[in-house]
Structures are given as C-alpha cells and as structure tokens.
Amino acid sequence: MAWENQTTNSDFILLGIFNHSPTHIFLFSLVLGIFTAAFMGNTAMVLLIYLDTQLHTPMYFLLSQLSLMDLMLICTTVPKMAFNYLSGIKSISLASCGTQIFSYVSLLGAECFLLAAMAYDRYVAICHPLRYSVLMSQKTCGFMAASSWSLGSLDGVIEVAVALSFSYCGTREIPHFFCDVPALLTLSCTDTLLFERMIFICCVIMLLFPVAVIIASYVHVILAVIRMGSGEGRRKAFITCSSHLMVVGMYYGTAMFIYMRPTSDRSPTWDKMLSAFYTILTPMLNPLIYSLRNKEVARAFMKVLGKGKTGE
C-alpha cells in the first residue's frame, strides 16, 4: 500500500531528505553511522563524568548536561527519519509532530543558554581563579543547568502551542525530515506573520543574548591568557577555550541562519542540510571536540576500562 493512503486527515507527511538512489543510500548509511557515534560518544561522556569523582567539577558537570542534551536531541529526529525511510511510511500524527517540535525546540533553547553558562565558567576559571570555588559553587552550577532546561522548555511549550493552533491545508507535506516549525508554517492556511515575528524575537533572546555573554566572556579570557607568564598555562587555556568556541561557532551560526530569516527567503534544501548539520553532526562532534585533547577525560576513560578488565 502506498504511504499516501496510510495517513489520516490530521496526519502530516514528512518528505524526508533521502531517496533510494545509490548516492542517497550511502548518505543514509553515513547518517546512521554518525548517529551511532553520537549516541555512544555522548552516553560515554555522561557516564564517565558521573562515575569518576575527579570529574565532579563545575566544568564537567556543565559538559555532562551538554552531552545529555545532545543525546536527547539526536534521538528526537534520527530514529523517526530512519523508520520513515526504511518502511516507506512517511506520515506523522499531529501529536507526534507536536512532541517532536517541543523536544527539539526545548533542547536547542536549553543548549543555547548552557553554552553561555559554560563560557562564563571558563571566564571565572581563568580570570578569577582564586574565587572560582565561590563563584562557581555546586548551587550556582545547579541553578545554571536548571535555568537552561527551564527556559528551553518554556520556549518549546510556547512554540508548539502556537504552531499547532494554526489551520493546515493542502497536501500537508512537510518539506523536511522532521517537524520543523519554519517548514510547518509554509503549509498554514492562515496568516503566520505575527508568529514569525515572535520566533524572531525568541531567537534574539535565545541566540543573540547568549552569544553576547559568550563574546564578552572570551574577550576577557583571551586578554587574560595573553598576559599569562606560563607557557604551559597559556597553552592549556587556549586548548580549552578553542574547543568551546568551535562548538559555539558551529551551533549558533547554523541556528541563526535557519531561524532568523523570513519564511519567504527559505530554501527547503538548504534548511534540511543545515538542520542535519546541527541536529545530527554537531552532537557527534561535541564529545570529540571536548574530549579528544583532554587528558582528564582520557584518564577517566582508561580508569573505567582498567576497572572493567580487573572485574573480569
């Protein structure tokens, strides 16, 4: 039975990103490989930070929250996309679409604020090392993480409530591989200009405000690093900060390009490619970027492996 006949009137159709040509089959396999690496990498980071008491520091606590967000984000989009591609059933119910919108909007918003909190953590560690334990106490870190999750969830609730309040007509075909709000708005029968302006304002708050905090933090960090007398201290600081800035550039750059443009200027092909970048590729790169040159994470990993071998 064709997938067009397997939907109800309230269902949407996700057109996806791949067809069944040899090139797209290869790309689909590549995405599954990236998903597997991201799932394993972020799960490993969360477990390592939880199991190793020497990683129970503010920086690694925030990093564990980032890994948890990335883990949930990639599980929000890829499994459904893979199921649709392999089964040929491209429909998604209104409830599932709303759940997907809430999940990815909440996680993206939470990650925006968390990255700003991580930049502040690096600023305090490098510019005010003697006051670090006071300014970045366990209570403060918990508040930062809880605020990030709460503000992201608030944005998710607002966007899903408004997006699903519109009337949708026509083919109900979403030119995307998941229920993305901008792609969904193109199917609306009603005027969405006010909602688009609201999304823009949300983006200013949730993207530009954290970016301003990050830039201000790293301007102070870079100036402090330049003044450092120790070459080893300067090298370690640059490694830590460059890793964070790399993640920030990839994440905020693509998010701003997608969500801060009017609907009339959007290209479905570009939106799908960029969405795949920050919802699939970035979650895989984050644990690699933060841990590849990090001796403390490598030590914790070897310690856990050693315990596993001893237990055998």
Side-chain angles (χ1 to χ4, degrees):
M1 184 183 293
W3 56 262
E4 290 91 346
N5 297 327
Q6 299 174 8
T7 65
T8 65
N9 290 333
S10 63
D11 286 350
F12 292 102
I13 305 298
L14 293 172
L15 296 181
I17 192 172
F18 301 122
N19 56 41
H20 290 279
S21 67
T23 302
H24 280 221
I25 291 173
F26 169 76
L27 291 174
F28 173 74
S29 302
L30 186 63
V31 166
L32 288 186
I34 292 172
F35 170 78
T36 303
F39 185 88
M40 294 176 64
N42 285 292
T43 301
M45 287 297 292
V46 172
L47 291 176
L48 279 177
I49 293 169
Y50 174 76
L51 293 172
D52 194 299
T53 54
Q54 292 186 23
L55 296 182
H56 292 180
T57 63
M59 183 181 81
Y60 287 109
F61 170 73
L62 295 175
L63 181 54
S64 71
Q65 297 300 297
L66 178 67
S67 292
L68 182 59
M69 289 175 186
D70 281 338
L71 185 61
M72 294 173 66
L73 179 62
I74 200 167
C75 290
T76 298
T77 57
V78 177
K80 177 62 177 173
M81 179 200 71
F83 173 80
N84 288 359
Y85 181 78
L86 294 172
S87 67
I89 302 174
K90 299 187 178 183
S91 64
I92 183 169
S93 67
L94 187 66
S96 296
C97 189
T99 301
Q100 203 171 55
I101 290 172
F102 170 76
S103 298
Y104 90 84
V105 169
S106 298
L107 291 166
L108 290 177
E111 199 159 324
C112 283
F113 290 108
L114 187 71
L115 288 171
M118 293 173 73
Y120 175 75
D121 170 71
R122 291 300 85 207
Y123 159 72
V124 175
I126 293 172
C127 298
H128 302 283
L130 298 180
R131 300 175 61 198
Y132 183 75
S133 60
V134 176
L135 295 175
M136 290 300 296
S137 64
Q138 187 176 4
K139 185 177 179 180
T140 302
C141 287
F143 175 76
M144 285 180 168
S147 298
S148 298
W149 285 100
S150 300
L151 290 170
S153 298
L154 177 63
D155 186 38
V157 168
I158 293 171
E159 290 210 21
V160 73
V162 178
L164 297 187
S165 68
F166 292 121
S167 298
Y168 295 96
C169 51
T171 60
R172 300 176 75 87
E173 294 180 345
I174 302 174
H176 220 299
F177 62 93
F178 66 95
C179 277
D180 189 31
V181 171
L184 192 62
L185 293 183
T186 61
L187 307 180
S188 178
C189 309
T190 51
D191 184 18
T192 61
L193 181 60
L194 185 62
F195 183 46
E196 289 179 44
R197 288 176 178 172
M198 187 197 80
I199 292 177
F200 182 82
I201 293 170
C202 285
C203 287
V204 169
I205 297 171
M206 304 194 75
L207 291 174
L208 296 187
F209 174 72
V211 165
V213 172
I214 291 168
I215 290 173
S217 297
Y218 277 104
V219 166
H220 287 87
V221 166
I222 290 170
L223 291 175
V225 168
I226 291 173
R227 290 195 296 265
M228 279 184 179
S230 168
E232 178 62 24
R234 189 185 296 117
R235 187 190 67 83
K236 187 175 180 180
F238 265 122
I239 287 174
T240 304
C241 295
S242 62
S243 298
H244 188 212
L245 287 173
M246 197 180 301
V247 172
V248 166
M250 292 189 302
Y251 183 81
Y252 286 99
T254 52
M256 285 180 183
F257 185 79
I258 290 178
Y259 293 106
M260 298 189 74
R261 290 179 300 149
T263 304
S264 57
D265 293 342
R266 298 184 183 280
S267 164
T269 303
W270 272 103
D271 280 0
K272 284 189 282 189
M273 289 173 61
L274 290 171
S275 295
F277 182 83
Y278 75 82
T279 61
I280 300 174
L281 188 61
T282 302
M284 181 200 72
L285 293 176
N286 281 354
L288 294 176
I289 289 171
Y290 279 108
S291 64
L292 199 61
R293 294 177 293 177
N294 193 312
K295 292 181 180 179
E296 291 175 324
V297 173
R299 176 201 52 75
F301 183 69
M302 295 306 295
K303 182 179 177 182
V304 171
L305 281 182
K307 284 184 178 180
K309 290 178 180 178
T310 304
E312 292 173 2

